[in-house]
Amino acid sequence: MSDLVEEFESRLTDRYGEFVPPSALWKELGFATPASFRKALSQERIEVEVFDISGRRGSFARALDVARWQAIVYSGRRRNAKQ
């Protein structure tokens, strides 16, 4: 699983740097729209730690946290597909 996390993290950091910005976070977490992400955020249903940065709009997340989440989701779906 660590190889998968590294692969996802590398892709994210190449694209966004250490922090995934609000304009991309909702997509990387699999939400259909920014509004659905905001609703899940207000209901505390986001499965990665998100945070605000003073003077910036929206919620950010660490690329590593998003990569770990993506690896878990991917592994779970792949395992289910094999059965």
Side-chain angles (χ1 to χ4, degrees):
M1 173 96 101
S2 64
D3 290 342
L4 195 54
V5 172
E6 287 178 21
E7 179 182 334
F8 287 141
E9 182 184 18
S10 176
R11 179 185 58 82
L12 289 169
T13 55
D14 286 350
R15 189 173 290 162
Y16 308 116
E18 286 297 313
F19 301 136
V20 180
S23 60
L25 185 56
W26 64 274
K27 293 177 198 172
E28 295 296 344
L29 294 177
F31 287 92
T33 64
S36 62
F37 171 75
R38 285 191 300 272
K39 183 174 182 177
L41 187 61
S42 72
Q43 296 174 346
E44 298 181 2
R45 293 186 297 118
I46 305 297
E47 298 180 32
V48 298
E49 183 180 345
V50 295
F51 53 90
D52 297 328
I53 296 177
S54 180
R56 307 269 313 264
R57 295 177 82 177
S59 299
F60 293 77
R62 286 181 0 155
L64 177 59
D65 294 341
V66 174
R68 285 182 182 143
W69 178 84
Q70 289 175 336
I72 290 167
V73 170
Y74 180 77
S75 294
R77 288 186 178 159
R78 212 171 90 211
R79 209 175 13 257
N80 292 338
K82 288 183 179 179
Q83 296 176 349

Coordinates of all heavy atoms in Angstrom, one line a residue:
M1 N 0.8 -1.2 0.0 CA 0.0 0.0 0.0 C 0.9 1.3 0.0 O 0.5 2.3 -0.6 CB -0.9 0.0 1.2 CG -1.7 1.2 1.4 SD -3.3 1.3 0.7 CE -4.3 1.0 2.2
S2 N 2.0 1.2 0.6 CA 2.9 2.4 0.7 C 3.4 2.8 -0.7 O 3.5 4.0 -1.0 CB 4.1 2.2 1.6 OG 4.9 1.2 1.1
D3 N 3.5 1.9 -1.6 CA 3.9 2.2 -3.0 C 2.8 3.0 -3.6 O 3.0 4.0 -4.4 CB 4.2 1.0 -3.8 CG 5.5 0.3 -3.4 OD1 6.3 0.9 -2.8 OD2 5.7 -0.9 -3.8
L4 N 1.6 2.6 -3.4 CA 0.4 3.3 -3.9 C 0.3 4.7 -3.4 O 0.0 5.6 -4.1 CB -0.9 2.5 -3.6 CG -2.1 2.8 -4.4 CD1 -1.9 2.8 -5.9 CD2 -3.2 1.8 -4.0
V5 N 0.5 4.8 -2.1 CA 0.4 6.2 -1.4 C 1.5 7.0 -2.0 O 1.3 8.2 -2.4 CB 0.6 6.0 0.1 CG1 0.8 7.4 0.7 CG2 -0.6 5.3 0.7
E6 N 2.7 6.5 -2.2 CA 3.8 7.3 -2.8 C 3.5 7.7 -4.2 O 3.7 8.9 -4.6 CB 5.1 6.5 -2.8 CG 5.7 6.4 -1.4 CD 7.0 5.5 -1.4 OE1 7.6 5.4 -2.5 OE2 7.4 5.0 -0.4
E7 N 2.9 6.8 -5.0 CA 2.5 7.2 -6.4 C 1.4 8.3 -6.4 O 1.6 9.3 -7.1 CB 1.9 5.9 -7.0 CG 1.5 6.1 -8.5 CD 0.8 4.9 -9.1 OE1 1.2 3.8 -8.6 OE2 0.0 5.1 -10.0
F8 N 0.4 8.2 -5.6 CA -0.6 9.2 -5.5 C 0.0 10.5 -5.0 O -0.3 11.6 -5.5 CB -1.8 8.8 -4.6 CG -2.7 7.7 -5.3 CD1 -3.2 6.7 -4.5 CD2 -3.0 7.8 -6.6 CE1 -4.0 5.8 -5.1 CE2 -3.8 6.9 -7.2 CZ -4.3 5.8 -6.5
E9 N 0.8 10.4 -3.9 CA 1.4 11.7 -3.4 C 2.3 12.4 -4.4 O 2.2 13.6 -4.5 CB 2.2 11.3 -2.1 CG 2.7 12.6 -1.5 CD 3.6 12.3 -0.3 OE1 4.1 11.2 -0.1 OE2 3.9 13.3 0.5
S10 N 3.0 11.6 -5.1 CA 3.9 12.2 -6.1 C 3.1 13.0 -7.2 O 3.4 14.1 -7.5 CB 4.8 11.1 -6.8 OG 5.5 11.6 -7.8
R11 N 2.0 12.3 -7.6 CA 1.1 13.0 -8.6 C 0.6 14.3 -8.0 O 0.6 15.3 -8.7 CB 0.0 12.0 -9.0 CG -0.9 12.6 -10.0 CD -2.1 11.7 -10.3 NE -2.9 11.4 -9.2 CZ -3.8 12.2 -8.6 NH1 -4.1 13.3 -9.1 NH2 -4.5 11.8 -7.6
L12 N 0.1 14.2 -6.8 CA -0.5 15.4 -6.2 C 0.5 16.5 -5.9 O 0.2 17.7 -6.2 CB -1.2 15.0 -4.8 CG -2.5 14.2 -4.9 CD1 -2.8 13.6 -3.6 CD2 -3.6 15.0 -5.5
T13 N 1.7 16.2 -5.4 CA 2.7 17.2 -5.1 C 3.2 17.8 -6.4 O 3.5 19.0 -6.5 CB 3.8 16.7 -4.2 OG1 4.4 15.6 -4.8 CG2 3.3 16.4 -2.8
D14 N 3.3 17.0 -7.5 CA 3.8 17.5 -8.8 C 2.8 18.6 -9.3 O 3.1 19.6 -9.9 CB 4.0 16.4 -9.8 CG 5.2 15.6 -9.6 OD1 6.0 16.0 -8.7 OD2 5.3 14.5 -10.2
R15 N 1.5 18.3 -9.1 CA 0.4 19.1 -9.6 C 0.2 20.3 -8.7 O 0.0 21.4 -9.2 CB -0.8 18.3 -9.7 CG -1.9 19.0 -10.5 CD -3.1 18.1 -10.7 NE -2.7 17.1 -11.8 CZ -3.4 16.0 -12.0 NH1 -4.4 15.7 -11.3 NH2 -2.9 15.2 -12.9
Y16 N 0.2 20.1 -7.4 CA -0.3 21.2 -6.5 C 0.7 21.7 -5.4 O 0.5 22.7 -4.8 CB -1.5 20.7 -5.7 CG -2.6 20.2 -6.6 CD1 -3.0 18.9 -6.5 CD2 -3.3 21.0 -7.5 CE1 -4.0 18.3 -7.2 CE2 -4.3 20.5 -8.3 CZ -4.7 19.1 -8.2 OH -5.7 18.6 -8.9
G17 N 1.8 20.9 -5.2 CA 2.7 21.2 -4.1 C 2.2 20.5 -2.9 O 1.5 19.5 -2.9
E18 N 2.7 20.9 -1.7 CA 2.4 20.2 -0.4 C 0.9 20.3 0.0 O 0.4 19.4 0.6 CB 3.2 20.8 0.7 CG 4.7 20.4 0.7 CD 4.9 18.9 0.8 OE1 4.3 18.3 1.7 OE2 5.6 18.3 0.0
F19 N 0.3 21.3 -0.4 CA -1.1 21.5 0.0 C -2.0 21.5 -1.2 O -1.8 22.2 -2.2 CB -1.4 22.8 0.7 CG -0.6 23.0 2.0 CD1 0.1 24.2 2.3 CD2 -0.4 21.9 2.9 CE1 0.8 24.3 3.4 CE2 0.3 22.1 4.0 CZ 0.9 23.3 4.3
V20 N -3.1 20.7 -1.2 CA -4.0 20.6 -2.3 C -5.0 21.8 -2.1 O -5.6 21.9 -1.0 CB -4.8 19.3 -2.3 CG1 -5.8 19.3 -3.4 CG2 -3.9 18.1 -2.4
P21 N -5.1 22.7 -3.1 CA -5.9 23.9 -3.0 C -7.4 23.6 -3.1 O -7.8 22.6 -3.6 CB -5.4 24.8 -4.1 CG -5.0 23.8 -5.2 CD -4.4 22.6 -4.4
P22 N -8.2 24.5 -2.6 CA -9.7 24.4 -2.6 C -10.2 24.1 -4.0 O -11.2 23.3 -4.2 CB -10.2 25.7 -2.1 CG -9.1 26.4 -1.4 CD -7.8 25.8 -2.0
S23 N -9.6 24.7 -5.0 CA -10.1 24.6 -6.4 C -10.0 23.1 -6.9 O -10.7 22.7 -7.8 CB -9.4 25.5 -7.3 OG -8.0 25.2 -7.3
A24 N -9.1 22.3 -6.3 CA -8.9 21.0 -6.7 C -9.3 19.9 -5.7 O -9.5 18.8 -6.0 CB -7.4 20.8 -7.1
L25 N -9.4 20.3 -4.4 CA -9.6 19.4 -3.3 C -10.9 18.6 -3.5 O -10.9 17.4 -3.3 CB -9.6 20.1 -2.0 CG -9.7 19.2 -0.7 CD1 -8.6 18.2 -0.7 CD2 -9.6 20.1 0.5
W26 N -11.9 19.3 -3.9 CA -13.2 18.6 -4.0 C -13.1 17.5 -5.1 O -13.7 16.4 -5.0 CB -14.4 19.6 -4.3 CG -14.2 20.4 -5.6 CD1 -13.6 21.5 -5.8 CD2 -14.8 20.0 -6.8 NE1 -13.7 22.0 -7.1 CE2 -14.5 21.1 -7.8 CE3 -15.6 19.0 -7.3 CZ2 -14.9 21.0 -9.1 CZ3 -16.0 19.0 -8.6 CH2 -15.6 20.0 -9.5
K27 N -12.4 17.8 -6.2 CA -12.2 16.8 -7.3 C -11.4 15.6 -6.8 O -11.7 14.4 -7.0 CB -11.6 17.4 -8.5 CG -12.4 18.4 -9.2 CD -11.5 19.1 -10.3 CE -12.1 20.4 -10.7 NZ -11.3 21.1 -11.7
E28 N -10.3 15.9 -6.1 CA -9.4 14.8 -5.6 C -10.0 13.9 -4.6 O -9.7 12.8 -4.5 CB -8.1 15.4 -5.1 CG -7.3 16.2 -6.1 CD -6.7 15.3 -7.2 OE1 -6.7 14.1 -7.1 OE2 -6.3 15.9 -8.2
L29 N -11.0 14.5 -3.9 CA -11.8 13.7 -2.9 C -13.0 13.0 -3.5 O -13.8 12.4 -2.8 CB -12.1 14.5 -1.7 CG -10.9 15.0 -0.9 CD1 -11.4 15.9 0.3 CD2 -10.1 13.8 -0.4
G30 N -13.2 13.1 -4.8 CA -14.3 12.4 -5.5 C -15.6 13.0 -5.4 O -16.6 12.4 -5.7
F31 N -15.7 14.3 -5.1 CA -17.0 15.0 -5.1 C -17.4 15.4 -6.5 O -16.5 15.8 -7.3 CB -17.0 16.1 -4.1 CG -17.0 15.7 -2.7 CD1 -15.8 15.5 -2.0 CD2 -18.2 15.4 -2.0 CE1 -15.8 15.1 -0.7 CE2 -18.2 15.0 -0.7 CZ -17.0 14.8 0.0
A32 N -18.7 15.4 -6.8 CA -19.2 15.8 -8.1 C -19.1 17.3 -8.3 O -18.9 17.7 -9.5 CB -20.6 15.2 -8.3
T33 N -19.3 18.0 -7.3 CA -19.3 19.5 -7.4 C -18.7 20.1 -6.2 O -18.7 19.5 -5.1 CB -20.8 20.0 -7.5 OG1 -21.5 19.8 -6.3 CG2 -21.5 19.4 -8.7
P34 N -18.3 21.4 -6.3 CA -17.8 22.1 -5.1 C -18.9 22.2 -4.1 O -18.6 22.1 -2.9 CB -17.4 23.5 -5.7 CG -17.2 23.3 -7.1 CD -18.1 22.2 -7.5
A35 N -20.1 22.4 -4.5 CA -21.2 22.5 -3.5 C -21.4 21.2 -2.7 O -21.7 21.3 -1.5 CB -22.5 22.8 -4.2
S36 N -21.3 20.1 -3.3 CA -21.4 18.8 -2.6 C -20.2 18.7 -1.6 O -20.4 18.1 -0.5 CB -21.5 17.6 -3.5 OG -20.3 17.5 -4.3
F37 N -19.1 19.1 -2.0 CA -17.9 19.1 -1.0 C -18.2 20.0 0.1 O -18.0 19.6 1.3 CB -16.6 19.6 -1.8 CG -15.5 19.8 -0.8 CD1 -14.8 18.7 -0.3 CD2 -15.1 21.1 -0.5 CE1 -13.7 18.9 0.6 CE2 -14.0 21.3 0.3 CZ -13.3 20.2 0.9
R38 N -18.7 21.2 -0.1 CA -19.0 22.2 1.0 C -20.0 21.6 1.9 O -19.9 21.8 3.1 CB -19.4 23.5 0.4 CG -18.2 24.4 -0.2 CD -18.7 25.8 -0.4 NE -19.8 25.9 -1.4 CZ -19.6 25.9 -2.7 NH1 -18.4 25.9 -3.3 NH2 -20.6 26.0 -3.5
K39 N -21.0 21.0 1.4 CA -22.1 20.4 2.2 C -21.5 19.3 3.1 O -21.8 19.2 4.3 CB -23.2 19.8 1.4 CG -24.3 19.3 2.2 CD -25.5 18.8 1.3 CE -26.6 18.3 2.1 NZ -27.8 18.0 1.3
A40 N -20.7 18.4 2.5 CA -20.0 17.3 3.3 C -19.1 17.9 4.4 O -19.0 17.4 5.5 CB -19.2 16.4 2.4
L41 N -18.4 19.0 4.0 CA -17.5 19.7 5.0 C -18.3 20.2 6.1 O -18.0 20.0 7.3 CB -16.8 20.8 4.3 CG -15.7 21.5 5.0 CD1 -14.6 20.5 5.5 CD2 -15.1 22.6 4.2
S42 N -19.5 20.8 5.8 CA -20.3 21.4 6.9 C -20.9 20.3 7.8 O -21.2 20.5 9.0 CB -21.4 22.3 6.4 OG -22.4 21.6 5.7
Q43 N -21.1 19.1 7.2 CA -21.6 18.0 8.0 C -20.5 17.1 8.6 O -20.8 16.1 9.1 CB -22.5 17.2 7.1 CG -23.7 17.9 6.6 CD -24.6 17.1 5.6 OE1 -24.1 16.1 5.0 NE2 -25.8 17.6 5.3
E44 N -19.3 17.6 8.4 CA -18.1 16.9 9.0 C -18.0 15.5 8.4 O -17.7 14.5 9.2 CB -18.1 16.9 10.5 CG -18.0 18.3 11.0 CD -18.0 18.4 12.5 OE1 -18.0 17.4 13.2 OE2 -18.0 19.6 13.1
R45 N -18.2 15.3 7.1 CA -18.1 14.0 6.5 C -16.9 13.9 5.6 O -16.8 13.0 4.7 CB -19.4 13.7 5.7 CG -20.6 13.6 6.5 CD -21.8 13.1 5.6 NE -22.2 14.2 4.6 CZ -22.2 14.0 3.3 NH1 -21.8 12.9 2.8 NH2 -22.5 15.0 2.5
I46 N -15.9 14.8 5.7 CA -14.7 14.7 5.0 C -13.7 13.8 5.7 O -13.5 13.9 6.9 CB -14.1 16.1 4.8 CG1 -15.1 17.1 4.2 CG2 -12.8 16.0 3.9 CD1 -15.6 16.7 2.8
E47 N -13.1 12.8 5.0 CA -12.3 11.8 5.6 C -10.8 12.1 5.7 O -10.1 11.3 6.1 CB -12.6 10.5 4.9 CG -14.0 10.0 5.0 CD -14.2 8.7 4.3 OE1 -13.3 7.9 4.3 OE2 -15.4 8.5 3.8
V48 N -10.5 13.4 5.3 CA -9.1 13.8 5.5 C -9.1 15.1 6.3 O -10.2 15.8 6.3 CB -8.4 14.0 4.2 CG1 -8.3 12.8 3.4 CG2 -9.0 15.1 3.4
E49 N -8.0 15.4 6.9 CA -8.0 16.7 7.7 C -7.9 17.8 6.7 O -7.0 17.9 5.8 CB -6.7 16.7 8.6 CG -6.6 17.9 9.5 CD -5.4 17.9 10.4 OE1 -4.8 16.9 10.5 OE2 -5.1 19.0 10.9
V50 N -8.8 18.8 6.9 CA -8.8 20.0 6.1 C -8.6 21.2 7.0 O -8.9 21.1 8.2 CB -10.1 20.2 5.2 CG1 -10.2 19.1 4.2 CG2 -11.3 20.2 6.1
F51 N -8.0 22.2 6.4 CA -7.7 23.4 7.3 C -7.8 24.7 6.4 O -7.8 24.6 5.2 CB -6.3 23.3 7.9 CG -5.2 23.0 6.9 CD1 -4.5 24.0 6.3 CD2 -4.9 21.7 6.5 CE1 -3.6 23.7 5.3 CE2 -3.9 21.4 5.6 CZ -3.2 22.4 5.0
D52 N -7.9 25.8 7.1 CA -7.9 27.1 6.5 C -6.5 27.7 6.6 O -5.8 27.4 7.5 CB -8.9 28.0 7.1 CG -10.3 27.5 7.0 OD1 -10.6 26.9 6.0 OD2 -11.1 27.8 7.9
I53 N -6.2 28.5 5.6 CA -5.0 29.3 5.7 C -5.4 30.8 5.7 O -6.1 31.2 4.9 CB -4.1 29.0 4.4 CG1 -3.6 27.6 4.4 CG2 -2.9 30.0 4.4 CD1 -2.8 27.1 3.2
S54 N -4.8 31.5 6.7 CA -5.2 32.9 6.9 C -4.9 33.7 5.6 O -3.9 33.5 5.0 CB -4.3 33.4 8.0 OG -4.6 34.8 8.2
G55 N -5.9 34.4 5.3 CA -5.8 35.3 4.1 C -6.1 34.6 2.8 O -6.0 35.2 1.7
R56 N -6.5 33.3 2.8 CA -6.8 32.5 1.6 C -8.2 32.0 1.8 O -8.7 31.7 2.9 CB -5.9 31.4 1.4 CG -4.4 31.7 1.5 CD -3.7 32.0 0.1 NE -4.0 31.2 -1.0 CZ -3.2 30.2 -1.4 NH1 -2.1 29.8 -0.7 NH2 -3.6 29.5 -2.4
R57 N -8.9 31.9 0.7 CA -10.3 31.4 0.7 C -10.3 29.9 0.5 O -9.5 29.3 -0.2 CB -11.1 32.0 -0.4 CG -11.2 33.5 -0.3 CD -12.0 34.1 -1.4 NE -13.4 33.9 -1.2 CZ -14.3 34.3 -2.1 NH1 -14.0 35.0 -3.2 NH2 -15.6 34.2 -1.8
G58 N -11.2 29.2 1.2 CA -11.5 27.8 1.1 C -10.6 26.9 2.0 O -9.8 27.4 2.8
S59 N -10.9 25.6 1.8 CA -10.2 24.6 2.7 C -9.1 23.9 1.9 O -9.3 23.6 0.7 CB -11.2 23.6 3.1 OG -12.2 24.2 3.9
F60 N -8.0 23.7 2.6 CA -6.9 23.0 2.0 C -6.7 21.7 2.7 O -7.2 21.5 3.8 CB -5.6 23.9 2.2 CG -5.6 25.2 1.5 CD1 -6.3 26.2 1.9 CD2 -4.8 25.3 0.3 CE1 -6.3 27.4 1.3 CE2 -4.8 26.5 -0.3 CZ -5.6 27.6 0.1
A61 N -5.9 20.8 2.1 CA -5.5 19.5 2.7 C -4.1 19.2 2.3 O -3.6 19.6 1.2 CB -6.4 18.4 2.3
R62 N -3.4 18.5 3.2 CA -2.0 18.0 2.8 C -2.1 17.0 1.7 O -3.0 16.1 1.7 CB -1.3 17.4 4.0 CG -0.9 18.4 5.0 CD -0.2 17.7 6.2 NE -0.1 16.3 6.1 CZ 0.9 15.6 6.7 NH1 1.7 16.1 7.5 NH2 0.9 14.3 6.5
A63 N -1.2 17.1 0.8 CA -1.2 16.1 -0.4 C -1.0 14.7 0.2 O -1.7 13.8 -0.3 CB -0.1 16.5 -1.3
L64 N -0.2 14.5 1.2 CA 0.0 13.2 1.8 C -1.3 12.6 2.3 O -1.6 11.4 2.1 CB 1.1 13.2 2.8 CG 1.4 11.9 3.6 CD1 1.8 10.8 2.6 CD2 2.4 12.1 4.6
D65 N -2.1 13.4 3.0 CA -3.3 12.9 3.6 C -4.3 12.5 2.5 O -5.0 11.5 2.6 CB -4.0 14.0 4.5 CG -3.2 14.3 5.7 OD1 -2.3 13.4 6.1 OD2 -3.4 15.4 6.3
V66 N -4.4 13.3 1.4 CA -5.3 13.0 0.3 C -4.8 11.8 -0.4 O -5.6 10.9 -0.7 CB -5.3 14.2 -0.7 CG1 -6.1 13.8 -1.9 CG2 -5.9 15.4 0.0
A67 N -3.5 11.6 -0.5 CA -2.9 10.4 -1.2 C -3.2 9.2 -0.4 O -3.6 8.1 -1.0 CB -1.4 10.6 -1.4
R68 N -3.1 9.2 0.9 CA -3.4 8.1 1.8 C -4.9 7.7 1.6 O -5.2 6.5 1.5 CB -3.1 8.4 3.2 CG -1.7 8.4 3.6 CD -1.5 8.6 5.1 NE -0.1 8.6 5.4 CZ 0.5 9.5 6.2 NH1 -0.2 10.3 6.9 NH2 1.8 9.4 6.5
W69 N -5.8 8.7 1.6 CA -7.2 8.4 1.5 C -7.5 7.8 0.1 O -8.2 6.8 0.0 CB -8.0 9.7 1.6 CG -9.4 9.6 1.4 CD1 -10.4 9.1 2.3 CD2 -10.2 9.7 0.2 NE1 -11.6 9.1 1.8 CE2 -11.5 9.4 0.4 CE3 -9.8 10.1 -1.1 CZ2 -12.5 9.5 -0.5 CZ3 -10.8 10.2 -2.1 CH2 -12.1 9.9 -1.8
Q70 N -6.9 8.3 -1.0 CA -7.1 7.8 -2.3 C -6.6 6.4 -2.4 O -7.2 5.5 -3.0 CB -6.3 8.7 -3.3 CG -7.0 10.0 -3.6 CD -6.2 10.9 -4.5 OE1 -5.0 10.7 -4.6 NE2 -6.9 11.8 -5.1
A71 N -5.5 6.0 -1.8 CA -4.9 4.7 -1.8 C -5.9 3.7 -1.1 O -6.1 2.6 -1.5 CB -3.5 4.7 -1.1
I72 N -6.4 4.1 0.1 CA -7.4 3.3 0.8 C -8.6 3.0 -0.1 O -9.1 1.9 -0.2 CB -7.7 3.9 2.1 CG1 -6.6 3.9 3.1 CG2 -9.0 3.3 2.8 CD1 -6.7 4.8 4.3
V73 N -9.1 4.1 -0.7 CA -10.3 4.0 -1.5 C -10.0 3.1 -2.7 O -10.8 2.1 -3.0 CB -10.9 5.3 -1.9 CG1 -11.9 5.2 -3.0 CG2 -11.4 6.1 -0.8
Y74 N -8.9 3.3 -3.3 CA -8.6 2.5 -4.5 C -8.4 1.1 -4.2 O -8.9 0.2 -4.9 CB -7.3 3.1 -5.2 CG -6.8 2.3 -6.4 CD1 -7.5 2.5 -7.6 CD2 -5.8 1.4 -6.3 CE1 -7.1 1.8 -8.7 CE2 -5.4 0.7 -7.4 CZ -6.0 0.9 -8.6 OH -5.7 0.2 -9.7
S75 N -7.7 0.8 -3.1 CA -7.4 -0.6 -2.7 C -8.7 -1.3 -2.3 O -8.9 -2.5 -2.7 CB -6.5 -0.6 -1.5 OG -5.2 -0.2 -1.9
G76 N -9.6 -0.6 -1.7 CA -10.9 -1.2 -1.3 C -11.7 -1.5 -2.5 O -12.3 -2.6 -2.6
R77 N -11.8 -0.6 -3.5 CA -12.5 -0.9 -4.7 C -11.9 -2.0 -5.5 O -12.6 -2.8 -6.1 CB -12.7 0.4 -5.5 CG -13.6 1.4 -4.8 CD -13.8 2.6 -5.7 NE -14.8 3.5 -5.0 CZ -14.9 4.7 -5.3 NH1 -14.2 5.3 -6.2 NH2 -15.7 5.5 -4.6
R78 N -10.6 -2.0 -5.6 CA -10.0 -3.0 -6.4 C -10.2 -4.4 -5.8 O -10.4 -5.4 -6.5 CB -8.5 -2.7 -6.4 CG -7.9 -3.2 -7.7 CD -6.5 -2.7 -7.9 NE -5.6 -3.7 -7.3 CZ -4.4 -3.4 -6.8 NH1 -4.0 -2.2 -6.7 NH2 -3.7 -4.4 -6.3
R79 N -10.1 -4.5 -4.5 CA -10.3 -5.8 -3.8 C -11.7 -6.2 -4.0 O -12.0 -7.4 -4.3 CB -10.0 -5.6 -2.3 CG -9.5 -6.8 -1.6 CD -9.1 -6.6 -0.2 NE -9.5 -5.4 0.5 CZ -8.7 -4.4 0.8 NH1 -7.5 -4.4 0.4 NH2 -9.2 -3.3 1.4
N80 N -12.7 -5.3 -3.9 CA -14.1 -5.7 -4.1 C -14.3 -6.2 -5.6 O -15.2 -7.0 -5.8 CB -15.0 -4.6 -3.8 CG -15.1 -4.3 -2.3 OD1 -14.7 -5.1 -1.5 ND2 -15.4 -3.1 -1.9
A81 N -13.6 -5.6 -6.5 CA -13.8 -5.9 -7.9 C -13.4 -7.4 -8.2 O -13.9 -8.0 -9.1 CB -13.1 -5.0 -8.8
K82 N -12.4 -7.8 -7.5 CA -11.8 -9.2 -7.7 C -12.7 -10.3 -7.2 O -12.6 -11.4 -7.7 CB -10.4 -9.3 -7.0 CG -9.4 -8.5 -7.7 CD -8.0 -8.8 -7.0 CE -6.9 -8.0 -7.6 NZ -5.7 -8.3 -6.9
Q83 N -13.6 -10.0 -6.3 CA -14.4 -11.0 -5.7 C -15.6 -11.4 -6.5 O -16.1 -10.9 -7.4 CB -14.9 -10.6 -4.3 CG -13.8 -10.4 -3.4 CD -14.3 -9.8 -2.0 OE1 -15.4 -9.4 -1.9 NE2 -13.4 -9.8 -1.1

